[in-house]
Amino acid sequence: MKKDILANPANVAFKDLLEICRKHFGEPRIKGSHHIFKTPWQGDPRINIQRDGKMAKPYQVRMVQKALEKLEEPKDEV
């Protein structure tokens, strides 16, 4: 389902992107119109999403895609 929703970044509803982010990264900190999620790593990709009407901004959808890919990467064994 997640891949289907994110397949076309220009056509993702903000509420759907917010639901995906909450599922994987927990509750956001909200500052103005920005929903900022904590990630288990420092630096990019950061997750900071905001509405564009009822839709999510396409570049932010791509950032979430990259973050989800990074989250799914296998951890190196020590």
Side-chain angles (χ1 to χ4, degrees), residues 14 18-19 21-22 25-38 47-51:
F14 179 79
L18 185 59
E19 182 180 321
C21 289
R22 280 186 170 141
F25 301 104
E27 287 299 311
R29 173 174 59 92
I30 300 172
K31 185 164 183 148
S33 64
H34 294 261
H35 291 67
I36 304 159
F37 292 87
K38 287 190 176 195
I47 303 179
N48 179 356
I49 62 175
Q50 63 188 132
R51 291 180 186 274

Side-chain angles (χ1 to χ4, degrees), residues 3-4 7 14 18-19 34 36 38 43 45 48 50 52 54-55 57 63-64 71-72 77:
K3 299 284 185 198
D4 295 338
F14 179 79
L18 185 59
E19 182 180 321
H34 294 261
I36 304 159
K38 287 190 176 195
N48 179 356
Q50 63 188 132
D52 188 11
K54 289 187 177 187
M55 306 306 284
K57 294 186 175 188
M63 287 184 344
V64 170
L71 194 63
E72 294 171 357
E77 295 292 323

Side-chain angles (χ1 to χ4, degrees), residues 4-15:
D4 295 338
I5 292 172
L6 300 179
N8 182 1
N11 195 26
V12 177
F14 179 79
K15 67 177 184 70

